[in-house]
Amino acid sequence: MAAAAAAAAAEQQSSNGPVKKSMREKAVERRNVNKEHNSNFKAGYIPIDEDRLHKTGLRGRKGNLAICVIVLLFILAVINLTITLVIWAVIRIGPNGCDSMEFHESGLLRFKQVSDMGVIHPLYKSTVGGRRNENLVITGNNQPIVFQQGTTKLSVEKNKTSITSDIGMQFFDPRTQNILFSTDYETHEFHLPSGVKSLNVQKASTERITSNATSDLNIKVDGRAVVRGNEGVFIMGKTIEFHVGGNVELKAENSIILNGTVTVSTTRLPSSSGGDPLAAGEWVRYKLCVCADGTLFKVPVTAQNMGCQVADNPCGSAR
């Protein structure tokens, strides 16, 4: 209908010139055009296949990778938070700095409070010390305190203090630089520090043990004493005495030489005051005999006041 009216108006305009419309006609025409436009829902619509459109965002493998990255960052954030809390609780770092230690430009690390630590590994050179007018107290809770650098180790335990080293050790006065004790045998002999009268060790390996000319050398043990030498054992002195509670055993691959007067004290030997044990057959006794060349041999005692003259005498002639 609107099209027919438009055609009629066009014919009139073409034949008689432009035709003026009234206000009512213009309003009706405008209303019809708006009504047609409002009812046409397909105006400007073009059907498109969504599968062929370019998709935006993270999809598929990229989405999974993004989720993994986010989870990893969350784990790292939790670990960082835990480390920060531990540092804050142990070292006690606050707004005013560290509460328990000081760092100096010279590399000195000073602890200002009681510190609990396990194993400390210094990076280069290590020096442990305290304040000038205060004692340095190091305590181990039911564990030894060990200072170790390379193969040298100092262990302080409840009942003993031990020092072990494969390259030797040396103690000196830091003020005077005088050597108090050293194991450098090539430069000087082993000497006890001044004021030390005795040395208590379980095992010692040395070339020679001696005392000065005016003092005695005493070696005492609670159990068994073993003296062994790879090239022999030589015991020399003005007077040599052995006091033992058990047996004295001498072993050698080649020979045993006793050069000097040998005296055996019989004060601690068992006596036969309770009768004649030989007649009763309670034990067997031997008599120690010596040849002119120093050879020792034993002879079983079968009768009283018997000598060393036996049939198998190794000396060749009985004494």
Side-chain angles (χ1 to χ4, degrees):
M1 180 178 180
E11 290 178 357
Q12 293 178 2
Q13 182 178 5
S14 60
S15 61
N16 299 326
V19 180
K20 295 183 178 180
K21 297 182 180 180
S22 62
M23 296 294 294
R24 183 176 179 277
E25 292 176 350
K26 290 181 180 180
V28 171
E29 184 179 359
R30 188 181 301 108
R31 184 170 59 249
N32 293 333
V33 172
N34 292 335
K35 183 177 179 181
E36 183 180 358
H37 280 258
N38 292 334
S39 61
N40 187 8
F41 294 100
K42 294 184 179 181
Y45 176 77
I46 301 175
I48 299 176
D49 189 4
E50 293 185 0
D51 295 335
R52 297 183 179 180
L53 293 177
H54 178 70
K55 297 180 181 180
T56 61
L58 299 176
R59 302 171 184 269
R61 295 181 179 179
K62 294 183 179 179
N64 297 333
L65 181 60
I67 295 175
C68 294
V69 172
I70 294 174
V71 172
L72 180 60
L73 292 177
F74 177 76
I75 294 175
L76 292 178
V78 172
I79 295 175
N80 190 13
L81 177 62
T82 304
I83 295 174
T84 303
L85 294 177
V86 170
I87 293 176
W88 177 80
V90 175
I91 307 180
R92 294 185 288 276
I93 297 178
N96 298 326
C98 187
D99 188 29
S100 59
M101 63 180 64
E102 293 179 352
F103 296 91
H104 297 265
E105 295 181 357
S106 61
L108 174 65
L109 173 60
R110 176 179 294 169
F111 294 92
K112 300 188 294 184
Q113 296 180 356
V114 177
S115 303
D116 186 6
M117 59 192 68
V119 180
I120 301 176
H121 296 280
L123 297 179
Y124 182 53
K125 292 183 179 180
S126 59
T127 302
V128 179
R131 297 180 181 270
R132 179 176 300 177
N133 299 325
E134 297 181 5
N135 295 328
L136 176 63
V137 180
I138 302 176
T139 305
N141 297 328
N142 298 325
Q143 294 292 332
I145 300 173
V146 180
F147 297 90
Q148 183 173 359
Q149 184 174 5
T151 59
T152 303
K153 181 172 66 175
L154 168 63
S155 177
V156 181
E157 303 180 26
K158 183 178 180 180
N159 299 323
K160 66 177 181 179
T161 300
S162 61
I163 303 175
T164 58
S165 177
D166 293 341
I167 60 176
M169 62 190 70
Q170 191 176 72
F171 297 90
F172 60 91
D173 190 344
R175 294 184 297 270
T176 62
Q177 299 297 322
N178 293 330
I179 298 177
L180 303 177
F181 171 76
S182 176
T183 58
D184 187 6
Y185 302 127
E186 296 181 357
T187 304
H188 56 81
E189 294 184 352
F190 174 80
H191 295 283
L192 291 178
S194 177
V196 178
K197 301 298 182 181
S198 61
L199 179 64
N200 186 2
V201 295
Q202 294 183 353
K203 182 179 180 181
S205 300
T206 181
E207 296 180 358
R208 184 166 63 101
I209 301 176
T210 182
S211 62
N212 54 35
T214 59
S215 301
D216 296 335
L217 175 62
N218 298 322
I219 300 177
K220 298 179 181 180
V221 295
D222 296 333
R224 183 181 180 185
V226 179
V227 181
R228 181 184 296 109
N230 295 331
E231 297 181 0
V233 177
F234 300 90
I235 302 176
M236 295 180 293
K238 183 178 180 180
T239 302
I240 302 174
E241 297 182 0
F242 295 94
H243 300 275
V244 297
N247 299 327
V248 177
E249 184 178 0
L250 303 176
K251 289 183 178 180
E253 294 183 357
N254 296 323
S255 62
I256 297 176
I257 301 175
L258 300 177
N259 187 8
T261 302
V262 180
T263 304
V264 179
S265 176
T266 60
T267 57
R268 296 181 178 271
L269 295 178
S271 61
S272 58
S273 59
D276 189 3
L278 295 176
E282 295 180 0
W283 58 54
V284 178
R285 292 190 299 179
Y286 291 90
K287 186 175 183 180
L288 182 62
C289 301
V290 59
C291 300
D293 58 355
T295 303
L296 297 177
F297 65 97
K298 63 181 180 179
V299 176
V301 178
T302 57
Q304 295 182 355
N305 300 326
M306 65 171 297
C308 295
Q309 186 176 2
V310 292
D312 55 349
N313 193 329
C315 300
S317 61
R319 291 185 55 186

